[in-house]
Amino acid sequence: MSTVTIIVAAFVIGYFFIAIESVTKINKAAIAVLMCVVCWTLLALGHTELLGNFLPAGWELGESIEKNLGEAGTTLFFLMGAMTIVEIVDQHGGFNWVRGALASKTKRSLLWKIAFMTAILSAVLDNLTTSIVMIMILRKLVQDKNDRIWYAVCVIIAANAGGAFSPIGDVTTIMLWNGKMITALGVISEIIVPSFIAFIVPTFVMQMHLKGALPAIEDKQSAGEDVVSAFQKKLIFAIGVGGLCCVPVFHTITELPAFMGILAVLGVLWTVTELIYRRKKENDPMAKRVTKLLSRIDLATIMFFLGILMAVATLSEIGVLAEMGKWLDESIGNDYLITGAIGILSSIVDNVPLVAASMKMYVIDSAPNLVVDGVFWQLLAYCAGVGGSMLIIGSAAGVVVMGLEHISFGWYMKNVTWIAFVGYVAGILCYWLEKTYLF
């Protein structure tokens, strides 16, 4: 049995145990970390036989690990920074005004408000940050755990759909935009309607699970709210949320990774809160200092993310993802079917290496479907972004919500996968109608 086969088998087995977490009662983060180590160990032991065939000549194990760890680290630091910023804003009452803006008498009306707000915010921020923000807001609006899970699912689907039509809404659209495969105007004008369809259809189905009036939740203030003034609350909110909105601008102007913008916002917000609490003792329980809030970050989710990204990186290194894309091209040959299949695959493995592999396999040329803003590139932006909703670990938004709300892989696959798939296909059909009759 070849090393490649063994590595793929190890990944599949690990993925299977992540899927049955609710049965084994073993935390998914433990499996993901173990899967990562096993895949890289197998690659380290068998890389000699792969050189010149599956691995390019001159390939170095150490350089490969450092490169992939660096790429994974940008996502992890982005996630940790964003989670910390949102936690700071939340602990100081920054999101309380949203409760009034989303005030709803029924559970279904709240679901629709959450869906549209999430999609719009995701296009302005990104699907990862938006998911964190919306889950924090939901915790203030919905107390019943069974109901909140459906709202959380709506956040995942709407965040991924909203990020797909914006050049800064998802890592994959940023990649395609920076690679000049798509333009901002092109992707917004032609993908926005299919993206909205991709979350409106599932939301219509999910509302069947929510009936009746929305129970009122007692307004509880955190300790941090008691010691800060109304002006300071607004200041913290403006710096936190305003800073998150400016991260894409920072990235565009400086060309630094997005996580550097997140860290800049965190640094400013950290400094401001330290100034606010400068007259209070370090161990004062009333002071919500960042050093205390850091302990509230879900490290299990971070470790799960690390394990998944690094395990997928081994498949990318040995060329499995690229070969899979090549096989799709040769055996299918239809843009809608190829990108549709890539979208489905993006729910199983990370969409970033899939898009990266596609960008390397296909180049911009004179063929109508491969020109700038061609059908292939626009569909790739849509499918890679929206397709991740079909499994809860198929997108950054899903992984974060999974960790924050403790939604099991099995429950999501049983109850939500088919709903997300219907929305996904409806969006592709909508795009086909656009290209056939409008554009």
Side-chain angles (χ1 to χ4, degrees), residues 11 15-16 18-20 152-153 156-157 160 304 308 343-351 383-402 407-422 424:
F11 182 87
Y15 198 89
F16 172 75
I18 289 173
I20 61 171
V153 166
I156 295 172
I157 295 174
N160 288 332
F304 174 69
I308 284 290
I344 294 173
L345 287 174
S346 75
S347 69
I348 302 173
V349 297
D350 187 54
N351 59 1
C383 293
V386 177
S389 300
M390 283 182 274
L391 291 178
I392 197 167
I393 65 173
S395 66
V399 172
V400 169
V401 173
M402 182 184 194
I407 302 174
S408 73
F409 181 98
W411 181 91
Y412 190 96
M413 186 165 63
K414 177 182 177 182
N415 295 281
V416 182
T417 295
W418 72 271
I419 299 175
F421 177 75
V422 170
Y424 175 70

Side-chain angles (χ1 to χ4, degrees), residues 416-434:
V416 182
T417 295
W418 72 271
I419 299 175
F421 177 75
V422 170
Y424 175 70
V425 173
I428 294 176
L429 179 60
C430 176
Y431 180 78
W432 176 81
L433 291 172
E434 281 186 356

